[in-house]
Amino acid sequence: MPRSRQPRRQATLASIAAELKISRTTVSNAYNRPDQLSAELRQRVLDVAKRRGYAGPDPMARSLRTRKAGAVGVLLTEALSYSFRDPAAMRFLSGLSEACEAAGQGLLLIPAGPGRADTEAAQVVHRSSVDGFVVYSVPPEDPYLAAVLERNLPVVACDQPRGFDHTPVVGIDDRGAMRDLAAHLIGLGHRHIGIVSMRLGRERHDGVVDLSTLEAGGFHVQHERILGVQDAMRAGGLDPASLTVVERYTHTSENGLSGAAQIMSVNPRITALMCTTDVLALGALAWADQTGLDVPGHLSITGFDGIDEALREGLTTVRQPQKDKGRRAGELLLAAPAHSGVPVLETLDTQLWFGKTSGAVEREWYAE
């Protein structure tokens, strides 16, 4: 009978070092600190390792030894797939990845979508092997955020939450930007304004919003944008309580379309429809096209974010630096020791973008 072949012993860092008659540190440096070796010596190490089937030092063991995971965790308020289909989130992640890449760090997206139980949320966060967290637009009562804070790792927030001690925040003046956009519309003669908003709280709601409960927590960014419109109405001599707001729980253009249909049925006197995101505004434009309304002759429509598709469509909107937000959040997180104990709020600039979807009120269409 043929002799049974003995199983090949698995190569280790120590066995590679023994074969080359060098230290284990030198083998490790060939992978982790190549600048410490000559090009010739490093190539010898890699050649022997390849022949022996050795893939390099165990990253898990290295993580246990150094207590560093070499990765940044990103906490989003949406399902994981959202980050790959939402244009604003993609630009944010692009900027963040650039900061991480420059520092030699990885990026871990944490599935923090709505609907999970609090205990499940805590488990997801606690088993994430990261050195710190970037929290992207998460409400203060979110269970994922509570689990993040329990980790006692560096944290940087983007947009929200705000007000946590020693937590740097990168954001924009959402209220001021929306106020300026609403003032532009009021200056064009619009007196009846409606808003289609992303969700305002953790509980599912698709419908008309009771403005008396607007400041009762939840998503700071959307609240601030609505309040900015009310500020402009007040300054323009309009009653802020006359503002009509419809909320959509899921952020899609389809919900922008259905939101526009609902709000115009609730208040057909609206001549300016402001959407709190460009994605919702693109849906509203589709609804106007389906119903034969001329934009902006019959109805002015605006958005917020400045995503590429919206600019191609000529949408009047607020352009915000999503990529710069991500990059700066990453830089602050990776420089966390230098900012320890010092609360930081960095407010980036926005720009009003006047497209072809806003115009003066046509009196033959709308009369006081």
Side-chain angles (χ1 to χ4, degrees):
M1 294 180 63
R3 182 181 299 176
S4 62
R5 181 176 294 179
Q6 292 292 324
R8 183 178 176 181
R9 293 183 63 185
Q10 184 176 4
T12 65
L13 184 146
S15 66
I16 299 296
E19 178 172 337
L20 289 166
K21 296 181 172 57
I22 58 178
S23 70
R24 286 181 293 180
T25 299
T26 301
V27 176
S28 177
N29 284 344
Y31 292 91
N32 300 319
R33 302 179 65 190
D35 58 306
Q36 301 296 306
L37 278 65
S38 68
E40 185 273 336
L41 177 56
R42 181 171 187 263
Q43 193 58 52
R44 282 175 54 206
V45 172
L46 296 179
D47 288 344
V48 171
K50 182 177 181 180
R51 174 169 55 81
R52 297 281 301 275
Y54 177 67
D58 184 354
M60 291 295 291
R62 182 175 182 271
S63 176
L64 289 172
R65 185 174 65 255
T66 63
R67 295 186 177 275
K68 292 291 183 182
V72 169
V74 186
L75 187 70
L76 298 144
T77 56
E78 306 290 340
L80 191 57
S81 58
Y82 175 85
S83 60
F84 297 102
R85 67 173 183 265
D86 181 79
M90 288 176 63
R91 287 189 61 79
F92 170 81
L93 290 173
S94 174
L96 178 57
S97 66
E98 287 184 3
C100 291
E101 184 177 17
Q105 298 291 301
L107 202 59
L108 176 67
L109 302 184
I110 299 170
R116 292 177 184 257
D118 291 2
T119 53
E120 187 180 359
Q123 290 173 358
V124 169
V125 171
H126 281 282
R127 66 172 175 251
S128 299
S129 181
V130 297
D131 299 319
F133 293 90
V134 171
V135 175
Y136 181 52
S137 200
V138 173
E141 69 276 11
D142 192 277
Y144 289 92
L145 176 62
V148 162
L149 297 176
E150 289 173 357
R151 292 285 302 272
N152 291 318
L153 293 173
V155 177
V156 173
C158 182
D159 292 333
Q160 62 180 34
R162 302 190 181 191
F164 282 89
D165 288 343
H166 314 315
T167 299
V169 179
V170 179
I172 62 172
D173 182 1
D174 290 279
R175 188 167 182 166
M178 200 71 158
R179 180 178 61 241
D180 292 344
L181 184 56
H184 164 69
L185 293 170
I186 293 169
L188 291 172
H190 294 277
R191 296 295 178 266
H192 295 278
I193 299 173
I195 294 178
V196 177
S197 173
M198 280 181 65
R199 72 172 181 265
L200 298 167
R202 292 186 63 208
E203 299 301 320
R204 187 176 192 99
H205 178 252
D206 291 285
V208 178
V209 174
D210 180 359
L211 294 179
S212 67
T213 64
L214 187 60
E215 296 185 82
F219 287 88
H220 163 89
V221 169
Q222 304 304 311
H223 288 188
E224 287 293 292
R225 292 178 188 177
I226 294 171
L227 292 172
V229 175
Q230 290 186 308
D231 290 343
M233 294 176 70
R234 193 176 293 108
L238 306 178
D239 181 7
S242 69
L243 179 66
T244 306
V245 179
V246 161
E247 176 184 4
R248 283 296 181 266
Y249 189 77
T250 306
H251 185 222
T252 63
S253 60
E254 291 78 12
N255 274 317
L257 187 152
S258 68
Q262 181 180 20
I263 199 169
M264 295 303 293
S265 67
V266 169
N267 184 0
R269 291 165 63 88
I270 290 171
T271 60
L273 181 57
M274 303 183 71
C275 300
T276 62
T277 72
D278 287 346
V279 169
L280 294 174
L282 290 170
L285 286 173
W287 172 81
D289 182 63
Q290 289 180 10
T291 53
L293 286 181
D294 175 60
V295 176
H298 294 160
L299 180 68
S300 287
I301 296 176
T302 66
F304 200 110
D305 284 331
I307 64 174
D308 291 343
E309 184 180 356
L311 299 183
R312 287 194 298 268
E313 291 293 322
L315 182 69
T316 294
T317 188
V318 174
R319 296 186 69 180
Q320 64 162 318
Q322 285 291 103
K323 191 170 184 178
D324 290 342
K325 272 185 181 180
R327 183 185 299 110
R328 191 63 189 128
E331 290 170 350
L332 283 173
L333 183 73
L334 295 167
H339 293 278
S340 180
V342 180
V344 175
L345 172 59
E346 291 201 11
T347 304
L348 306 183
D349 293 333
T350 59
Q351 176 190 12
L352 290 185
W353 187 264
F354 302 114
K356 62 183 181 181
T357 64
S358 60
V361 174
E362 291 191 1
R363 292 299 171 182
E364 63 269 21
W365 163 252
Y366 163 72
E368 292 284 356

